[in-house]
Amino acid sequence: MTMPVRHHRGGAMQARPMGWARNPLTEFDQLLSEMSGLLESTVGGAAPAVAWTPLADVTESDNAFHVEIELPGVKSKDINVEANGQELVVTGEIKEKERKGVLRRSTRRTGAFEYRLRLPGEVDTEKINAQMSDGVLAITVPKAEVAKPRHIEISETSESTESSG
């Protein structure tokens, strides 16, 4: 029985049995890789590497915005956090590990990553705090005093002065 094959950018062929479970994200990454190879061959020379975006949660409290970015296996020294006005940019790189033996399957992302976030309000960039714990980068971005909500008291005036004309 013959097996269907797939042609890859490097010209190598890979056998894939029928009914093999497909992961749409893996297929998408593979398509991006193939398109990048096409761009390289068309333009000539190396195309710039496409950075991937890590998973993140963004929450807002009365005093700050809280960003949690999943970066398992990344050391804090390999991460760069920058704030410019209302924009927060987190960049870095996950280096591929040296392995012994034959790699049978890999779904972990490697290479350059970039997470960009435009915050909806004014922030105090001088007081931003970032901490790395258990593969999660937690960034607290305090709101600027101008952007913090405040309660306004309403005073009542008496309507005893009526004008008659």
Side-chain angles (χ1 to χ4, degrees):
M1 177 173 136
T2 61
M3 303 281 276
V5 294
R6 268 198 140 144
H7 295 279
H8 289 286
R9 183 169 59 130
M13 297 170 71
Q14 176 185 7
R16 186 179 206 173
M18 294 297 269
W20 183 279
R22 290 185 177 183
N23 180 348
L25 293 177
T26 305
E27 296 285 327
F28 184 70
D29 283 344
Q30 200 168 30
L31 177 64
L32 281 176
S33 175
E34 290 173 8
M35 289 178 68
S36 175
L38 179 63
L39 181 65
E40 284 178 22
S41 65
T42 304
V43 175
V50 177
W52 56 273
T53 303
L55 300 175
D57 289 335
V58 181
T59 57
E60 179 180 0
S61 65
D62 289 341
N63 299 328
F65 296 99
H66 305 279
V67 182
E68 290 184 344
I69 304 172
E70 291 184 9
L71 296 169
V74 181
K75 295 182 173 83
S76 58
K77 66 179 178 131
D78 295 332
I79 303 170
N80 184 32
V81 180
E82 293 182 4
N84 184 9
Q86 291 177 271
E87 186 176 41
L88 182 70
V89 181
V90 179
T91 57
E93 184 176 359
I94 297 179
K95 296 177 177 66
E96 195 164 336
K97 297 177 182 178
E98 284 189 38
R99 303 185 191 279
K100 294 179 182 174
V102 177
L103 179 63
R104 295 291 182 182
R105 183 174 184 180
S106 177
T107 57
R108 301 174 100 188
R109 289 186 176 249
T110 57
F113 63 85
E114 178 180 75
Y115 180 80
R116 288 185 173 269
L117 174 65
R118 180 144 179 97
L119 298 165
E122 294 295 322
V123 296
D124 187 353
T125 57
E126 296 297 318
K127 296 182 182 173
I128 294 176
N129 180 20
Q131 294 181 334
M132 188 74 162
S133 176
D134 296 329
V136 176
L137 176 64
I139 305 169
T140 303
V141 184
K143 292 181 180 178
E145 290 296 325
V146 181
K148 289 183 184 176
R150 64 183 188 105
H151 180 72
I152 310 295
E153 290 294 325
I154 302 172
S155 60
E156 291 192 28
T157 59
S158 61
E159 296 184 23
S160 60
T161 56
E162 293 183 22
S163 61
S164 53

